[in-house]
Amino acid sequence: MTIAALVLAPLFFGSVDPFWTVTWTIVLSISALCGLAIPVGAAPNRILLIFLALCGAYALVALVQVAPNLIGAWADPIWERANKLLDLNVPARISSRAEIPPAAVGHFFLLVSSFLSGLFVSTSRRNGDLLMAFARYSILLYAVYGLVALILTPNMVLWAPKLAYQGYLTATFVNHNTAATYIGAGAILWLCSAYLSLQSLNYSSIRLLLLMPSNEALAFKLMFRAAAGLACFFALLLTGSRGGLICTCVGLLVAMGLMVSGRLKARTWYVLGCGSAALVLLAVWLSGIGRIGSQGLFDSGRWSVFEASLELIRQRPLLGGGAGTFADLFPAMRTSTSSIWGVWDYAHSTILEIAVEMGIPIATAIAIAAAGSIFVLGRGALESRGRDRELLPAVTGIAVLAYLHSTIDFSLQIPGFLVVFGIVLGCGLGRASSNRETTGEARSRASVRTGRAEVASRGRAG
């Protein structure tokens, strides 16, 4: 059931329709409930408890916001104005809405169920590897479909006319930025897999690669994985998304750096120096290609939305303006310099939108949790062995990609990408924490055996 949601959630226009949000929430909730019967280790349990505590705090604030007459001093002034203008007696609330919007509720439960499903799947190494294999191949198929559709039906998204982003690859998504983030995750998965295959070759086998039958299968595997990664990267370029391209390159750089560092056991200062140099070269290369070179990094409309969001945060710093109310609050903040094109129903920065709706404390807690997840994944990637040398660096790179992109856009608020990211993140964190727990237990057993051997040798010497 988790694999079905992972593969099919992006298919129907990114599952933006409420019907698909409800469908995937039900499917993943059943999967998560089944996973409760599976015993998990102490370390994954800590990850689970921290995640549930954060979700509980988010839900509590959302309920406090819609509770009538709870904190009169922080109530939204709109209720008093409505009572005066319409001669009503509606109780005041912190939120500008009387109840939490269904879309906000649906996205909340979708994130919870997808993360839990991925975490419980990671309790089985075989199932976790199978899940990540489906993630790689499904993203590749969507990227190939996007390339074919851009050639044959450039003005269509599936069977519907493309109302925006004509001439850009969007695959099955409506927005090209979401498509770029999703396909960028596939590029990271495939290129990390190809790099692991390349590491399996030693210098002698490279010289004899075409002469030794034992290397034939490895050579074809390497070529296929590299071709798949390059296909995803080519599709990413055709999306025309500046943020998607930059964040994917940074995520890929982090993933490759973890793979190299884990293999070479390099010193910290050496890794930081090489990483800084690579970032500089990446910035120089990106500054001259595509829309980045011709239009810069940001458009003026987005900056005006950021400024309006900061003003909304200043007005409601502690408990925000209500879950799912950004689209209601933003029109009052438009100025004469703001763009009048389109409907701004997102802040184009997920963390800013959370701060607007839920307040600074919740937004800060979420940012700390995101940084903590990258730390756990990165530490697990450096200590990984076997197939985890491919999986954990790739998941770390995808987390960096998604978090960075969420600061300048709203891909994590699109269900089709949210489901995929939640499942992959849960699986990666479960694998990273359980691996470290297993490593710690192995070291403890080894130290106990060493201690016993020393005692026995002393006894024989006595």
Side-chain angles (χ1 to χ4, degrees):
M1 297 180 76
T2 304
I3 287 174
L6 174 80
V7 172
L8 298 178
L11 178 58
F12 306 103
F13 306 99
S15 293
V16 292
D17 190 273
F19 170 80
W20 292 113
T21 300
V22 173
T23 299
W24 301 129
T25 300
I26 293 173
V27 170
L28 289 168
S29 296
I30 295 172
S31 174
L33 290 174
C34 294
L36 289 174
I38 303 173
V40 297
N45 261 333
R46 287 194 291 270
I47 299 290
L48 178 61
L49 290 176
I50 293 172
F51 175 75
L52 292 179
L54 183 60
C55 291
Y58 188 99
L60 179 61
V61 171
L63 292 174
V64 168
Q65 289 171 336
V66 296
N69 295 322
L70 187 61
I71 308 177
W74 291 351
D76 195 305
I78 194 174
W79 300 106
E80 183 180 354
R81 292 199 297 267
N83 288 336
K84 289 181 178 179
L85 290 173
L86 303 176
D87 194 21
L88 299 174
N89 190 24
V90 179
R93 294 170 171 83
I94 296 173
S95 174
S96 58
R97 286 196 177 211
E99 56 187 23
I100 304 173
V105 176
H107 290 180
F108 173 80
F109 282 111
L110 196 61
L111 173 62
V112 173
S113 58
S114 59
F115 181 87
L116 294 181
S117 297
L119 183 67
F120 291 138
V121 166
S122 70
T123 58
S124 166
R125 300 188 69 85
R126 176 182 175 277
N127 289 341
D129 293 341
L130 186 64
L131 181 74
M132 298 307 295
F134 269 94
R136 285 198 306 270
Y137 282 98
S138 61
I139 297 175
L140 176 61
L141 289 177
Y142 282 112
V144 171
Y145 165 77
L147 292 170
V148 174
L150 187 62
I151 297 172
L152 301 181
T153 56
N155 298 322
M156 302 285 289
V157 179
L158 296 176
W159 54 85
K162 185 182 290 188
L163 302 179
Y165 309 112
Q166 294 188 9
Y168 295 112
L169 186 148
T170 60
T172 57
F173 293 92
V174 177
N175 188 287
H176 72 147
N177 294 306
T178 309
T181 312
Y182 177 71
I183 294 173
I188 293 174
L189 285 169
W190 279 110
L191 291 175
C192 285
S193 182
Y195 184 72
L196 183 64
S197 298
L198 182 62
Q199 285 183 340
S200 301
L201 296 172
N202 54 43
Y203 291 106
S204 60
S205 62
I206 290 177
R207 290 194 298 267
L208 301 176
L209 183 61
L210 300 179
L211 301 177
M212 296 178 62
S214 60
N215 284 329
E216 184 176 351
L218 183 60
F220 280 113
K221 183 184 295 185
L222 172 61
M223 289 188 290
F224 174 77
R225 292 177 177 180
L230 292 175
C232 288
F233 197 83
F234 182 61
L236 168 65
L237 292 173
L238 292 179
T239 62
S241 172
R242 295 165 291 184
L245 176 61
I246 293 172
C247 296
T248 298
C249 289
V250 174
L252 181 61
L253 183 62
V254 169
M256 291 297 180
L258 289 172
M259 295 186 77
V260 173
S261 301
R263 180 178 175 86
L264 299 180
K265 304 297 182 183
R267 295 181 181 274
T268 303
W269 64 267
Y270 180 77
V271 174
L272 291 176
C274 292
S276 301
L279 280 174
V280 171
L281 293 175
L282 179 63
V284 172
W285 175 66
L286 289 174
S287 63
I289 66 171
R291 293 179 65 207
I292 301 173
S294 60
Q295 301 178 19
L297 292 177
F298 291 101
D299 52 79
S300 58
R302 191 165 302 193
W303 280 117
S304 65
V305 177
F306 291 168
E307 292 173 359
S309 299
L310 292 174
E311 176 60 23
L312 286 170
I313 294 170
R314 187 193 66 79
Q315 295 175 3
R316 304 166 174 84
L318 292 180
L319 293 179
T325 60
F326 176 83
D328 302 325
L329 298 172
F330 176 73
M333 304 304 297
R334 284 200 175 198
T335 64
S336 58
T337 59
S338 300
S339 172
I340 61 173
W341 182 88
V343 177
W344 293 85
D345 47 359
Y346 296 103
H348 285 263
S349 173
T350 300
I351 192 64
L352 266 184
E353 189 166 329
I354 291 173
V356 169
E357 296 181 351
M358 307 302 295
I360 294 176
I362 290 293
T364 302
I366 291 175
I368 292 173
S373 67
I374 291 178
F375 174 77
V376 172
L377 289 168
R379 184 179 61 181
L382 291 174
E383 300 173 352
S384 59
R385 297 292 183 272
R387 293 185 62 87
D388 288 346
R389 289 171 51 207
E390 167 197 339
L391 186 149
L392 292 179
V395 175
T396 308
I398 291 172
V400 170
L401 157 65
Y403 293 149
L404 278 180
H405 197 258
S406 69
T407 63
I408 57 173
D409 221 306
F410 53 86
S411 294
L412 280 176
Q413 296 168 256
I414 303 301
F417 180 70
L418 176 64
V419 168
V420 175
F421 176 72
I423 292 173
V424 170
L425 180 66
C427 183
L429 285 174
R431 181 71 70 87
S433 56
S434 61
N435 283 356
R436 187 168 181 81
E437 184 179 44
T438 303
T439 303
E441 292 175 353
R443 289 174 179 171
S444 299
R445 288 194 295 267
S447 62
V448 168
R449 287 195 298 268
T450 303
R452 289 176 178 173
E454 290 178 356
V455 171
S457 62
R458 289 173 184 172
R460 286 194 298 271

